[in-house]
Amino acid sequence: MKLTILGCYSATPRTFTNPTSQVLQVRNHLFLIDCGEGTQVQLRKCKIKFSRIKHIFISHLHGDHFFGLPGLISTFRLLGRETEMHIYGPKGIKEAVTLLLKLGDSWTNYPLIFHELNSKESELIFEDEQVSVRTIPLDHRVYTNGFLFEEKPLPRTLDVDATEKLKIDRSQYHKIKNGADGISENGKVISNIALTLDPPEPKSYAFCSDTAYKEAILPLIKNVNTLYHESTFLEKDSGLCQKTKHATAKQAAQIALKASAGNLILGHYSTRYKSIDLFKEEALQVFPHVELADDGKSFDI
Amino acid sequence: MKLTILGCYSATPRTFTNPTSQVLQVRNHLFLIDCGEGTQVQLRKCKIKFSRIKHIFISHLHGDHFFGLPGLISTFRLLGRETEMHIYGPKGIKEAVTLLLKLGDSWTNYPLIFHELNSKESELIFEDEQVSVRTIPLDHRVYTNGFLFEEKPLPRTLDVDATEKLKIDRSQYHKIKNGADGISENGKVISNIALTLDPPEPKSYAFCSDTAYKEAILPLIKNVNTLYHESTFLEKDSGLCQKTKHATAKQAAQIALKASAGNLILGHYSTRYKSIDLFKEEALQVFPHVELADDGKSFDI
């Protein structure tokens, strides 16, 4: 998995900071997560091919996570897109996008398929042979979901060194890859496990923004490889969290710790602070593996 | 008048070009004209004070003229705006903005007043003691208006050199400014015109985008000081104008010539051309006073 941060600042686009949007590369997918104003320009700056995006996940309908979507949908049309686009987001997203397109008499020339969400329980919203995506119900001022992206296990891979050493004829490779045992030159049966290698561990990524501190998400994100958790505020401003339904860097770290996450990436910073390094310092006091999201930055998961 | 181009390229925001938006300073007003995605960032880059904008004019509801508006309206709220904001635009604009705010549960804390337009005739849509604004019905794929901004004449100004030379007592200055004649030390009546100066000529600016070539607008923009007329294409691609309802640089120049405009500013360029200088070269063959709009550029009118 590779995560590219297109924008990770809260509230409003500014000269050098962008509202929330991320691209997650998982196996053969390029998933777009949230789409604040300016996302399409950030996609260009990060040299991400528009045509590879086929699924867009919107956490909630605040402007800084969503107002770039109508323009992106229009641009796909101008680029001559013909393949389906799937949009996953809160109920109402279809009405909003459809109205804006209708007012501009600008229908898409590609199928635009909305998957509207309104459950308060976690749901499986996407699944194929490679990946599954589940919602993570969050605690924000409006209906909001995070998203858990999980790779599925890959099959064991052929151990070419072993097959050559054990004199397994190449004609058996296909069967062995599919789980069969092998037979050596002298007719001896060799177990599949001796001829194959463990596949890479499936990876997982959880996107949790925007949200107040919410322990109820822990079972959903337990042992996740990388957790992106919003940290709008520092602990000294934790009094703002209740009203705004945001979290502090310390709270994000507490969630990462309790979930036994591999890594924590912080983001959705309020611009009231002098340096985003302050968020990292605060989180590191609770949890050891902390990274700072920043616009244009990529992370291997 | 001072015109600042925030964006002047057609279709879609790109890394270095922005869709349509302009700020027109007229007397004590700062009018925003169109609001493509990214307008609020361009306002910041051009160091324009958000709070001074009280009137926004939207030509039509295509995304590249309008998709920055919901975000800008939200940002005004985050900035603590309390004063009224007036939005002038095609019928439907209120429904669209209201739905987006409602979905985000993000009402404004300042009065947001919509003036929806649907007349096919030119209308007076704003007027105070200083300025008037009229619509210029255009010919585009959806209902579209340009806007004519006209300063009102200022009163004649006191000619201090003349009053001193003619020994007019200062106590009369106020009356003279209001049109009265003066009386000199020796009791002689001096006509007002001899004691005052001509005020500066009232200026006018016409914004015409997006539109196909439309001679019917000529009576409305006759003798305008500065005409901004879209030139999406060069003449060699004029075959595209009919379907897309756009104009060429040559057509824009023909409108400027027939309207006896003082200056022509070109914009709304298609990005298919290597250089925007080509638009100027083409227009100059028809009309002598041609300028090129570009993002961040200002023009004194």
Side-chain angles (χ1 to χ4, degrees), chain B:
Chain B
M1 287 193 188
K2 184 184 174 191
L3 178 70
T4 302
I5 308 294
L6 303 176
C8 65
Y9 288 80
S10 71
T12 168
R14 290 165 180 269
T15 307
F16 301 110
T17 61
N18 294 278
T20 302
S21 189
Q22 313 186 341
V23 172
L24 183 70
Q25 187 185 332
V26 195
R27 303 269 165 86
N28 54 342
H29 291 291
L30 219 56
F31 294 130
L32 184 69
I33 308 167
D34 279 353
C35 191
E37 185 174 346
T39 292
Q40 57 178 309
V41 174
Q42 287 296 98
L43 283 170
R44 288 184 192 274
K45 285 186 183 170
C46 293
K47 302 195 189 305
I48 289 164
K49 246 187 140 175
F50 283 52
S51 61
R52 286 201 54 206
I53 298 170
K54 289 171 185 158
H55 302 271
I56 301 178
F57 299 86
I58 302 292
S59 62
H60 65 298
L61 299 182
H62 279 157
D64 58 333
H65 295 252
F66 163 55
F67 281 173
L69 185 62
L72 182 61
I73 286 170
S74 303
T75 294
F76 281 131
R77 173 175 168 248
L78 291 169
L79 295 174
R81 183 187 187 97
E82 292 181 358
T83 54
E84 286 181 357
M85 170 62 74
H86 293 266
I87 314 269
Y88 307 77
K91 193 164 166 48
I93 194 168
K94 180 177 179 179
E95 183 189 0
V97 171
T98 308
L99 175 62
L100 291 179
L101 294 177
K102 192 186 84 175
L103 287 173
D105 203 14
S106 307
W107 303 103
T108 60
N109 45 354
Y110 57 91
L112 188 60
I113 299 154
F114 289 92
H115 305 264
E116 292 201 312
L117 309 174
N118 60 1
S119 172
K120 290 182 176 176
E121 308 295 324
S122 176
E123 292 180 293
L124 178 70
I125 56 172
F126 172 83
E127 185 171 35
D128 68 4
E129 290 178 354
Q130 301 282 337
V131 185
S132 69
V133 185
R134 278 167 219 279
T135 58
I136 305 170
L138 298 176
D139 178 17
H140 195 42
R141 302 195 300 280
V142 293
Y143 176 73
T144 303
N145 288 296
F147 302 103
L148 176 66
F149 300 84
E150 291 178 291
E151 289 180 346
K152 294 193 175 173
L154 289 169
R156 298 181 63 79
T157 57
L158 195 71
D159 183 350
V160 180
D161 286 349
T163 54
E164 287 179 355
K165 199 170 159 194
L166 292 162
K167 300 197 189 296
I168 306 289
D169 190 75
R170 284 171 179 259
S171 63
Q172 300 179 50
Y173 281 8
H174 186 69
K175 280 186 186 170
I176 293 168
K177 279 186 200 169
N178 285 328
D181 292 336
I183 297 167
S184 67
E185 266 185 0
N186 56 14
K188 194 176 166 193
V189 173
I190 314 285
S191 77
N192 181 273
I193 210 154
L195 300 172
T196 55
L197 297 168
D198 290 342
E201 276 287 307
K203 294 292 195 298
S204 59
Y205 170 66
F207 170 87
C208 294
S209 187
D210 295 353
T211 188
Y213 180 81
K214 185 180 180 186
E215 290 200 353
I217 68 174
L218 291 173
L220 295 169
I221 62 170
K222 192 75 190 165
N223 298 321
V224 71
N225 289 96
T226 295
L227 167 65
Y228 177 93
H229 194 290
E230 74 129 286
S231 58
T232 305
F233 301 115
L234 294 175
E235 199 58 22
K236 69 183 168 87
D237 296 313
S238 61
L240 297 169
C241 291
Q242 186 50 33
K243 190 184 162 208
T244 61
K245 293 284 183 187
H246 284 301
T248 67
K250 182 180 172 188
Q251 289 172 339
Q254 285 167 334
I255 293 289
L257 182 72
K258 291 182 184 186
S260 305
N263 283 288
L264 169 65
I265 300 176
L266 297 175
H268 202 265
Y269 317 112
S270 163
T271 52
R272 76 187 58 207
Y273 305 109
K274 272 191 181 164
S275 163
I276 60 172
D277 293 334
L278 300 169
F279 292 91
K280 186 169 181 176
E281 287 167 22
E282 184 170 291
L284 279 172
Q285 290 170 24
V286 174
F287 184 74
H289 310 296
V290 180
E291 302 261 18
L292 290 174
D294 211 350
D295 300 3
K297 197 168 167 182
S298 286
F299 299 91
D300 286 317
I301 296 173

Side-chain angles (χ1 to χ4, degrees), chain A residues 44-61:
Chain A
R44 288 184 192 275
K45 285 186 182 168
C46 293
K47 301 197 190 305
I48 289 165
K49 245 187 140 176
F50 283 51
S51 60
R52 286 200 57 205
I53 299 170
K54 290 171 186 158
H55 303 270
I56 301 177
F57 300 87
I58 302 292
S59 62
H60 65 298
L61 299 183

Side-chain angles (χ1 to χ4, degrees), chain A residues 26 54 64 111-112 127 130 146 165 172 207 218 220 224 226 228 243:
Chain A
V26 195
K54 290 171 186 158
D64 58 333
L112 188 60
E127 185 171 37
Q130 302 281 337
K165 199 170 158 192
Q172 301 178 50
F207 170 88
L218 291 173
L220 295 169
V224 72
T226 296
Y228 176 94
K243 190 183 163 208

Side-chain angles (χ1 to χ4, degrees), chain A:
Chain A
M1 287 194 187
K2 183 185 174 191
L3 177 70
T4 302
I5 307 294
L6 303 177
C8 65
Y9 288 79
S10 71
T12 169
R14 289 165 181 268
T15 306
F16 301 110
T17 62
N18 294 278
T20 302
S21 187
Q22 315 186 340
V23 172
L24 182 70
Q25 186 184 333
V26 195
R27 303 269 166 86
N28 54 341
H29 292 292
L30 218 57
F31 293 130
L32 184 69
I33 308 166
D34 279 354
C35 192
E37 185 175 346
T39 292
Q40 57 178 309
V41 173
Q42 287 297 98
L43 283 169
R44 288 184 192 275
K45 285 186 182 168
C46 293
K47 301 197 190 305
I48 289 165
K49 245 187 140 176
F50 283 51
S51 60
R52 286 200 57 205
I53 299 170
K54 290 171 186 158
H55 303 270
I56 301 177
F57 300 87
I58 302 292
S59 62
H60 65 298
L61 299 183
H62 280 157
D64 58 333
H65 295 252
F66 163 56
F67 281 173
L69 186 62
L72 182 61
I73 286 171
S74 303
T75 294
F76 280 132
R77 172 174 168 247
L78 291 171
L79 295 174
R81 184 188 185 95
E82 291 181 358
T83 54
E84 286 181 357
M85 171 61 75
H86 294 265
I87 314 270
Y88 306 78
K91 192 165 168 48
I93 193 169
K94 180 177 178 179
E95 183 189 0
V97 171
T98 308
L99 175 63
L100 290 179
L101 293 177
K102 191 185 84 173
L103 288 173
D105 202 14
S106 307
W107 302 104
T108 61
N109 45 356
Y110 57 91
L112 188 60
I113 299 155
F114 289 91
H115 306 264
E116 293 201 311
L117 309 174
N118 60 1
S119 173
K120 290 181 176 176
E121 307 296 323
S122 176
E123 290 180 293
L124 179 69
I125 55 172
F126 173 83
E127 185 171 37
D128 68 4
E129 291 178 353
Q130 302 281 337
V131 185
S132 69
V133 185
R134 277 167 220 278
T135 57
I136 305 169
L138 298 176
D139 178 17
H140 195 42
R141 302 195 301 279
V142 292
Y143 176 73
T144 304
N145 288 296
F147 302 103
L148 175 66
F149 300 85
E150 291 177 292
E151 288 180 348
K152 294 194 174 174
L154 288 169
R156 298 180 64 78
T157 57
L158 196 70
D159 182 349
V160 179
D161 286 348
T163 54
E164 286 179 355
K165 199 170 158 192
L166 294 162
K167 299 199 190 298
I168 306 289
D169 190 77
R170 283 169 180 262
S171 63
Q172 301 178 50
Y173 281 8
H174 185 70
K175 281 184 186 171
I176 294 168
K177 279 187 200 168
N178 285 329
D181 292 336
I183 298 166
S184 69
E185 264 185 3
N186 56 16
K188 194 178 167 192
V189 174
I190 314 286
S191 77
N192 181 273
I193 209 154
L195 301 172
T196 53
L197 297 167
D198 289 343
E201 276 287 308
K203 296 290 195 297
S204 59
Y205 171 66
F207 170 88
C208 295
S209 186
D210 296 353
T211 187
Y213 179 81
K214 185 180 181 187
E215 291 200 353
I217 70 173
L218 291 173
L220 295 169
I221 62 170
K222 191 76 191 165
N223 297 320
V224 72
N225 290 95
T226 296
L227 168 66
Y228 176 94
H229 195 290
E230 74 129 286
S231 58
T232 305
F233 301 117
L234 295 175
E235 199 58 22
K236 69 183 169 86
D237 295 313
S238 62
L240 298 169
C241 290
Q242 187 49 36
K243 190 183 163 208
T244 62
K245 293 286 183 185
H246 285 300
T248 66
K250 182 179 173 187
Q251 290 172 338
Q254 285 167 333
I255 293 290
L257 183 72
K258 292 183 183 184
S260 305
N263 284 288
L264 169 65
I265 300 176
L266 297 174
H268 203 266
Y269 316 112
S270 163
T271 52
R272 75 188 57 207
Y273 305 109
K274 272 192 182 165
S275 162
I276 60 172
D277 293 336
L278 300 169
F279 293 91
K280 187 170 180 174
E281 287 167 21
E282 183 170 293
L284 279 172
Q285 291 170 25
V286 174
F287 184 74
H289 310 296
V290 180
E291 303 260 18
L292 290 174
D294 211 350
D295 300 3
K297 197 168 168 182
S298 286
F299 299 90
D300 287 316
I301 295 173

